[in-house]
Amino acid sequence: MTEPASLARSLLEEGRVEVVVGYRPGTLPLRARPHFAFSPEQAAQFIWDRTCTPDLTVYLPRLKGRRVAVFVKGCDARSLVVLLQERQLSREQLVVIGLECPGVVTPDKLPPEQYQALTSATVEGEQVLLRGGSQLERVPVEQLLADPCRTCQHPDPVIQDYLIPTNCGRREREDPYGVVAQFERLEREERWVRLEREVADCIGCYACRQACPLCYCPDCFTDRFQPRWVGPIWSTSDALFFHLARALHLAGRCVDCGACVRACPLGIDLRHVYKRLEQAVKERFGYVPGLDPEAPPVLGTFRPEDPGDFIK
Amino acid sequence: MVPWSAEDGLDLEGYRNTLLPPKEIFFPRWEPMLRYSGWGRNLRWEEVRAPSAGRPAVLFGVRPCDARSLTVLDAVFQDDHPDPYYLQRRRAVVVVVLACTTPGRSCFCADVGGGPADERGADVMAAELEGEIRMWPVTDKGAQLLAETGWEPDPGGRELLEQHMQRTPTPAHGVPAGRYPEALEGRFEDPVWDRLHLPCLGCASCTYLCPTCHCFDVADETSDGGGLRVRGWDSCMFALYTLHASGHNPRPSVKERFRNRFMHKLSYFPKRYGLLACVGCGRCVEHCPVNVDVREVMKELVSDVQS
Amino acid sequence: MSSPNPYLPFPAVIEEIIPETDSGDVKTFRVRFQDAACWERFRYLPGQFAELSVFGAGEAPISITSSPTQEEILEFAVKRMGRVTTALHHAEPGAVIGVRGPYGNTFPLAELRGRHLVFIGGGIGLAPLRSLINYVLAPGHRGDHGDVVIIYGARSPGDLVFKWELDRWQTREDVQLYVTVDREHEGWHGRVGFVPAVLEEVAPSSRNAVAITCGPPIMIKFVLQVLERLGFAPSQIVTTLEMRMKCGIGKCGRCNIGDKYVCRDGPVFTYEQLKAMPAEY
């Protein structure tokens, strides 16, 4: 029986790991939260359902050198692969508990007023039951599905030692680059205006960076004093520079887990930028990040046949 | 918070609170302090103010928790070396507080010594009662505003609000705020921090959305032939916040920064100013990317004392 | 009704720049206010610091190394470390800088009265001590104290700061000065050894004495151990702390150690106070 709590419990009981990183119910509707279990008793709280959104591999570099078991969905498994490719972790320290993922739900899909008015919510099959005081509403999971899940090509973990299967049906995948095409249809000037408008609300809290498992640099370019690339006092131009530079640093690495968008308190969504970079890397180098732990990182490798047409 | 004009009308349906706290009206994300020009022997500088500084305004619909946060900010910015930038804005703005007749699910103002009809920090108190906005003055500044705008003072409103409040659930979650700061004495080295900090990502969303967080950074922004000394929000959750020029960092990891944040709100600040630096607005609860819930942290810190 | 803007620095002119170390990483800046009236608003005592502005680079807190008993000139010994201090090192005499302050508490002058004083400094750590040393050595103040012992060291002879001052103190009969360097060095005929070792050797009595120390953290750590062995109680040991600062006036938040702000409650603390504070500095 592969049930999250009992699996975690036995891993801890057998002393195979020091800590298990998984999910437990949150204090808000539709929000499971990270849980760290160091003892078999603490393992009782683990859950796995469609509210388990956080990409827990973000915690792994901090736990470097310790024996850790981690729950990963399809996208999280790919972040993990990138971390392994980039030598941030060693496979030996890890026990990977794969979660076959039917897609996760996000409260961001509800109007803020509606979400704020909820007191609880439960996912029942393909329905989400929303309760706000005495009010009860049923909405299809489909309506609350996170954007990356709609186009996810790898819902089953590409790396795992244990697998927790899903009994949910799989949905049809949408065009992964639809969001890019939509943006590219706009005039050049309009695209710039949209980008500026998207980041104008940015307060510089770096929640996107901190929630990203692949933004693990101990010394981010934003944290350098000499030269000082951004800030320290935040303006729209700093915000734009930060977001675009971060996107470039994730080219060929981002696995579209969606953590950055969900983490943003202001709801800034630059997924189309990240997807465009993903698309460009795929077209030029035939490379999809996070599938093979042995593959060299695409932008850390030179091959004579690499396209060089950008050199004018 | 957005500028409002009479044509906009007023729709309070579903309004709980603003995403960002009102502190940015008094303590903006970006604010010029000084202007400098020339260099070497001919360097000059002078005080400057942003165009928005000192512009008279009415802040309408501030929630009682946020109004109380202004008294926390006042304690800092009025202390000893009064901060002219903050105080100029504070003097120019009249705060109209809207009582919370339907508190939100993450609100815990009543736990931390406030309440949904708390008048501290308000110039004018307003409440939506029986489909009508009732307003009454709290300070002279508020009375003057009502007089100038022709509102009849409405002393009955307060009583009506009190009656309403008796029928409304109290925004409390059993957070033992009354036990702070004493409960944190000697807890700096407590192993509880090793556990509590684990999920924290080390971003600044909690501090930037917090109505009482007031840390700032100061920097010179140079352009042709001169520049501005500006200040803006900073966060104790950032590594750079305490990084010495030598490279030494007294709070090198998320654990130390997380601990400092809670110790500051619940112990250091109360010891210095006699006020908890948390007003129970629940913003950090709602918006933490990993649902680190301040209410639980506050409870756990006390429950560990008992065990 | 308008109180002065506490963020507005007074303009001051760099009159003289004295290279202190052979490598040039420490320089002393002698600075005079453009408007002499600023002196009235800048009354300081040993232990306090000022915020120095190099516009374009920013502001940095620097301890005042001159003594208020000196003529109307301020001195700052600055080690080239970050943006502001590097910009300051590039400045030339005649340049205008901004000075705000004085900020922070002072050495506990009342408690030092009638006591023997033991100064223990390392490297640039002599800078804040020098203000107090010259204060107690000033005519009219020297009689307030018993013995004055100064133990000062640096990595090498080239790293010693205020050599001109050390020479001056050396000639005074009412000062016992011990200067040391960490390792043997060509042309150096003075003492060799780490500051804590020299302190142990000199072994000043703790009776009716106060030790005032400032230097790199590793030196402080061992100095404290030696002082305890010599019988100094934590209340008889005084040191100054550094933290990253911006405003200098208790608002920007970053220099706290527990509920104390180094900029307001410090930078001077007794070892007794430090022991009651979280070890987060």
Side-chain angles (χ1 to χ4, degrees):
Chain A
M1 169 63 194
T2 38
E3 187 266 324
S6 58
L7 177 57
R9 188 184 174 89
S10 62
L11 287 172
L12 287 161
E13 270 170 354
E14 291 161 19
R16 293 196 47 203
V17 293
E18 290 170 60
V19 54
V20 181
V21 188
Y23 302 97
R24 65 170 166 149
T27 64
L28 295 169
L30 300 172
R31 296 276 309 270
R33 59 180 154 166
H35 178 51
F36 297 75
F38 291 86
S39 68
E41 296 71 48
Q42 290 168 338
Q45 291 189 55
F46 282 121
I47 57 159
W48 158 237
D49 63 28
R50 301 182 88 159
T51 68
C52 295
T53 50
D55 185 340
L56 302 174
T57 62
V58 71
Y59 297 109
L60 297 180
R62 269 206 240 165
L63 297 165
K64 203 171 186 166
R66 301 174 78 167
R67 284 170 305 121
V68 185
V70 61
F71 285 88
V72 294
K73 304 184 293 292
C75 49
D76 313 338
R78 292 178 60 209
S79 319
L80 180 55
V81 166
V82 178
L83 288 168
L84 290 167
Q85 280 180 289
E86 295 176 359
R87 306 282 183 269
Q88 295 305 309
L89 301 166
S90 73
R91 185 66 180 86
E92 291 69 45
Q93 73 171 103
L94 299 172
V95 172
V96 183
I97 307 170
L99 302 163
E100 273 188 6
C101 181
V104 292
V105 294
T106 169
D108 301 347
K109 292 284 165 190
L110 292 170
E113 308 79 46
Q114 189 187 353
Y115 179 59
Q116 299 266 314
L118 295 185
T119 44
S120 71
T122 35
V123 183
E124 291 178 357
E126 291 304 310
Q127 300 264 299
V128 184
L129 218 67
L130 306 175
R131 274 177 230 93
S134 54
Q135 308 263 36
L136 194 72
E137 193 184 343
R138 258 172 215 283
V139 299
V141 161
E142 177 66 27
Q143 192 188 320
L144 301 183
L145 204 63
D147 288 340
C149 305
R150 293 172 192 275
T151 65
C152 179
Q153 310 284 311
H154 302 278
D156 300 333
V158 293
I159 181 174
Q160 97 265 332
D161 299 310
Y162 295 92
L163 186 67
I164 297 184
T166 178
N167 50 14
C168 297
R170 287 290 160 77
R171 61 190 307 284
E172 213 168 293
R173 289 161 197 159
E174 291 166 20
D175 171 13
Y177 303 116
V179 62
V180 176
Q182 208 178 7
F183 189 68
E184 289 191 330
R185 273 196 292 273
L186 303 170
E187 295 293 321
R188 191 188 166 87
E189 287 73 23
E190 178 62 14
R191 293 203 297 258
W192 186 251
V193 169
R194 293 274 179 106
L195 272 181
E196 279 190 316
R197 202 185 301 150
E198 189 64 38
V199 303
D201 286 338
C202 178
I203 52 176
C205 74
Y206 294 125
C208 48
R209 180 187 73 184
Q210 297 304 107
C212 176
L214 302 179
C215 270
Y216 54 71
C217 292
D219 206 5
C220 178
F221 72 94
T222 60
D223 293 344
R224 311 277 330 166
F225 282 116
Q226 290 173 330
R228 187 101 216 201
W229 296 101
V230 296
I233 315 298
W234 208 244
S235 65
T236 302
S237 67
D238 290 309
L240 199 58
F241 183 80
F242 161 65
H243 285 289
L244 295 183
R246 192 178 99 86
L248 285 172
H249 288 180
L250 281 156
R253 306 174 63 231
C254 172
V255 298
D256 194 20
C257 72
C260 53
V261 179
R262 283 193 296 270
C264 181
L266 279 299
I268 294 167
D269 185 349
L270 293 171
R271 184 164 173 262
H272 54 287
V273 176
Y274 288 83
K275 287 307 267 186
R276 178 67 186 92
L277 288 164
E278 178 193 305
Q279 188 184 27
V281 169
K282 194 174 178 183
E283 284 169 2
R284 283 165 173 263
F285 304 101
Y287 179 87
V288 177
L291 296 181
D292 176 7
E294 300 307 319
V298 65
L299 295 184
T301 321
F302 174 74
R303 292 175 308 181
E305 65 271 27
D306 281 345
D309 56 329
F310 60 94
I311 304 167
K312 301 274 192 260
Chain B
M1 299 228 133
V2 290
W4 180 88
S5 70
E7 305 88 71
D8 295 341
L10 188 62
D11 178 13
L12 293 172
E13 185 67 37
Y15 167 61
R16 284 174 196 276
N17 205 349
T18 51
L19 174 62
L20 287 165
K23 72 176 174 190
E24 68 169 338
I25 304 294
F26 307 98
F27 169 55
R29 270 179 266 177
W30 184 96
E31 178 170 47
M33 304 174 88
L34 308 173
R35 178 189 291 116
Y36 55 89
S37 60
W39 63 281
R41 288 160 202 270
N42 300 314
L43 185 70
R44 299 271 181 281
W45 61 87
E46 60 185 349
E47 186 177 344
V48 288
R49 297 292 162 88
S52 59
R55 190 188 291 161
V58 175
L59 220 49
F60 179 83
V62 174
R63 291 304 189 181
C65 53
D66 288 342
R68 210 155 71 89
S69 80
L70 298 178
T71 65
V72 173
L73 298 178
D74 288 348
V76 176
F77 288 112
Q78 283 173 351
D79 185 32
D80 280 1
H81 297 273
D83 186 291
Y85 303 92
Y86 173 87
L87 293 174
Q88 184 185 16
R89 291 170 182 274
R90 196 74 174 87
R91 277 192 295 270
V93 175
V94 188
V95 179
V96 181
V97 172
L98 189 60
C100 292
T101 42
T102 42
R105 65 182 175 206
S106 302
C107 299
F108 60 107
C109 57
D111 285 330
V112 290
D118 195 339
E119 296 188 351
R120 278 169 289 179
D123 293 311
V124 173
M125 199 68 194
E128 197 182 9
L129 295 164
E130 294 158 3
E132 225 185 303
I133 300 268
R134 312 285 292 258
M135 289 203 274
W136 57 98
V138 178
T139 62
D140 292 346
K141 196 158 108 179
Q144 199 185 334
L145 175 80
L146 291 186
E148 281 169 9
T149 51
W151 271 78
E152 290 293 318
D154 183 3
R158 187 179 271 149
E159 207 174 304
L160 204 60
L161 178 62
E162 271 168 26
Q163 286 165 12
H164 178 90
M165 283 305 159
Q166 282 163 8
R167 301 188 300 269
T168 309
T170 314
H173 293 262
V175 176
R179 300 194 50 192
Y180 296 107
E182 290 75 16
L184 286 170
E185 280 308 306
R187 309 293 306 289
F188 185 82
E189 299 287 358
D190 199 297
V192 71
W193 299 109
D194 291 328
R195 179 165 55 80
L196 288 179
H197 88 276
L198 280 171
C200 176
L201 294 172
C203 78
S205 62
C206 52
T207 57
Y208 282 0
L209 299 186
C210 178
T212 70
C213 277
H214 54 268
C215 289
F216 61 84
D217 199 353
V218 180
D220 290 355
E221 294 185 346
T222 302
S223 47
D224 291 344
L228 291 172
R229 175 160 293 172
V230 300
R231 78 162 165 201
W233 299 353
D234 199 356
S235 171
C236 60
M237 294 310 297
F238 292 146
L240 286 196
Y241 180 74
T242 47
L243 182 71
H244 293 202
S246 65
H248 169 66
N249 196 337
R251 293 198 277 269
S253 78
V254 172
K255 178 189 157 184
E256 293 85 23
R257 303 198 275 270
F258 180 93
R259 175 175 57 192
N260 182 70
R261 174 169 150 76
F262 284 99
M263 290 292 276
H264 184 254
K265 295 220 164 287
L266 306 173
S267 169
Y268 307 155
F269 195 91
K271 282 204 233 168
R272 202 169 182 91
Y273 294 106
L275 292 162
L276 272 188
C278 172
V279 292
C281 73
R283 282 188 182 84
C284 59
V285 177
E286 287 285 331
H287 298 287
C288 173
V290 287
N291 190 214
V292 172
D293 189 322
V294 62
R295 298 170 300 180
E296 286 196 346
V297 172
M298 287 171 78
K299 283 182 201 174
E300 285 197 51
L301 283 170
V302 170
S303 75
D304 273 47
V305 175
Q306 290 162 336
S307 62
Chain C
M1 85 156 242
S2 73
S3 52
N5 182 338
Y7 302 102
L8 187 65
F10 299 137
V13 178
I14 301 174
E15 290 210 337
E16 193 184 354
I17 301 173
I18 307 162
E20 295 287 352
T21 54
D22 286 0
S23 69
D25 66 340
V26 177
K27 291 178 180 176
T28 294
F29 296 82
R30 309 193 80 215
V31 161
R32 197 183 294 274
F33 289 121
Q34 268 183 340
D35 177 357
C38 293
W39 275 105
E40 288 305 308
R41 287 162 63 186
F42 198 97
R43 292 260 172 92
Y44 72 100
L45 285 170
Q48 292 193 286
F49 67 95
E51 287 278 355
L52 301 191
S53 275
V54 183
F55 282 94
E59 240 180 351
I62 305 286
S63 66
I64 305 169
T65 188
S66 49
S67 160
T69 52
Q70 278 174 253
E71 58 157 334
E72 292 195 346
I73 199 148
L74 284 171
E75 289 168 351
F76 302 95
V78 180
K79 187 166 182 168
R80 191 179 60 228
M81 294 292 276
R83 243 174 107 89
V84 178
T85 51
T86 302
L88 201 53
H89 270 242
H90 287 143
E92 295 191 355
V96 178
I97 62 168
V99 179
R100 286 197 291 136
Y103 296 131
N105 65 355
T106 71
F107 285 110
L109 296 169
E111 282 86 68
L112 301 183
R113 202 158 290 143
R115 308 284 201 112
H116 304 300
L117 305 180
V118 183
F119 293 95
I120 308 144
I124 182 92
L126 187 59
L129 301 185
R130 176 179 171 254
S131 177
L132 180 60
I133 293 170
N134 281 334
Y135 185 82
V136 302
L137 294 183
H141 290 172
R142 182 62 188 91
D144 293 343
H145 308 278
D147 297 346
V148 170
V149 178
I150 304 169
I151 299 169
Y152 174 59
R155 266 173 310 176
S156 72
D159 288 309
L160 293 166
V161 298
F162 305 125
K163 292 183 200 66
W164 39 288
E165 192 80 295
L166 297 173
D167 292 345
R168 206 168 60 82
W169 294 338
Q170 189 73 69
T171 61
R172 287 183 65 135
E173 285 184 357
D174 56 356
V175 174
Q176 300 167 47
L177 175 70
Y178 305 88
V179 178
T180 180
V181 297
D182 291 355
R183 276 176 298 277
E184 297 280 352
H185 221 271
E186 218 186 298
W188 174 255
H189 305 295
R191 238 167 239 278
V192 174
F194 294 114
V195 167
V198 175
L199 172 65
E200 190 134 43
E201 192 190 317
V202 173
S205 166
S206 59
R207 246 186 98 94
N208 198 31
V210 176
I212 305 116
T213 182
C214 185
I218 188 74
M219 182 204 91
I220 301 270
K221 186 178 160 195
F222 289 105
V223 161
L224 290 174
Q225 289 173 12
V226 175
L227 286 172
E228 285 194 307
R229 278 204 291 277
L230 292 172
F232 282 82
S235 60
Q236 283 174 281
I237 304 171
V238 175
T239 190
T240 80
L241 291 184
E242 279 190 352
M243 282 293 263
R244 185 169 163 79
M245 285 179 196
K246 283 289 174 178
C247 72
I249 53 176
K251 310 221 184 297
C252 78
R254 74 202 63 234
C255 71
N256 78 297
I257 301 172
D259 63 339
K260 301 280 184 280
Y261 280 125
V262 172
C263 71
R264 301 293 313 277
D265 308 303
V268 179
F269 294 96
T270 64
Y271 186 37
E272 187 180 27
Q273 289 172 312
L274 280 189
K275 282 186 149 180
M277 285 155 65
E280 203 172 57
Y281 44 85

